[in-house]
Amino acid sequence: MARLAAWHTKGVTESAFVSLCQTPSRLLLSKDDSEHGANGIAKNAKKLHAYTVPSVTAWPIKKINDILERGHAPGDEELRDWLGGIPSEETEVLFLGGNLADYWTASEDNPNMASTPQDRTPIKKARISFDTPEMMTDSRTHCPSESGH
């Protein structure tokens, strides 16, 4: 699962994980400014959605890296290098499970939204809170799009 989570952060594979961010405004600091990157999401999401998820279902980058450090599969070292290079100004946490809607608690208009062309599909972004906030250290931000990835 840690390998799938690391690949999810790279956008390499479909997975059971959904990307969430604790502080959506920090997405604007990201150097990942591609169309579906953190900065693009921050500027194009119409709404910010808040979720409160149990800490056991949340996989911060540190947790993923700690698991990979114990692994010996081909590619684990490259995945650890990738995770180590994720910008510290981003705060991504992966949610494991397909029932994210069960944890939805609020929505608000995105104050950072840039004007976008009418034919462009908006990208949603999420905020989360934890029952154990220390799980949010050293991670990256990318929030769910319309497809949930």
Side-chain angles (χ1 to χ4, degrees):
M1 291 304 291
R3 287 182 196 96
L4 288 175
W7 290 334
H8 176 91
T9 67
K10 293 182 79 168
V12 171
T13 184
E14 294 290 324
S15 74
F17 290 94
V18 176
S19 300
L20 303 172
C21 55
Q22 185 176 30
T23 310
S25 62
R26 298 190 76 185
L27 289 168
L28 293 169
L29 303 174
S30 175
K31 295 178 176 75
D32 184 3
D33 59 0
S34 64
E35 180 181 358
H36 298 292
N39 197 278
I41 290 169
K43 292 178 181 172
N44 296 316
K46 288 184 180 179
K47 294 270 187 187
L48 304 179
H49 302 286
Y51 301 90
T52 302
V53 300
S55 61
V56 70
T57 65
W59 288 57
I61 299 300
K62 182 175 180 350
K63 176 179 178 177
I64 298 165
N65 194 52
D66 289 348
I67 293 168
L68 289 174
E69 282 180 354
R70 296 188 300 268
H72 301 290
D76 282 356
E77 186 174 340
E78 290 81 8
L79 286 174
R80 286 193 312 271
D81 288 346
W82 163 260
L83 293 171
I86 291 175
S88 60
E89 64 267 13
E90 299 178 22
T91 54
E92 183 175 37
V93 170
L94 305 183
F95 169 75
L96 178 60
N99 60 338
L100 185 59
D102 294 347
Y103 301 104
W104 175 76
T105 53
S107 292
E108 62 185 63
D109 290 333
N110 180 4
N112 308 308
M113 187 176 155
S115 57
T116 59
Q118 294 298 324
D119 59 346
R120 189 172 190 181
T121 304
I123 301 170
K124 292 181 184 176
K125 87 182 160 175
R127 278 194 308 197
I128 60 171
S129 59
F130 286 96
D131 49 2
T132 54
E134 66 275 4
M135 300 239 358
M136 290 300 297
T137 59
D138 300 326
S139 1
R140 178 182 180 192
T141 359
H142 243 138
C143 297
S145 66
E146 290 289 337
S147 66
H149 295 284

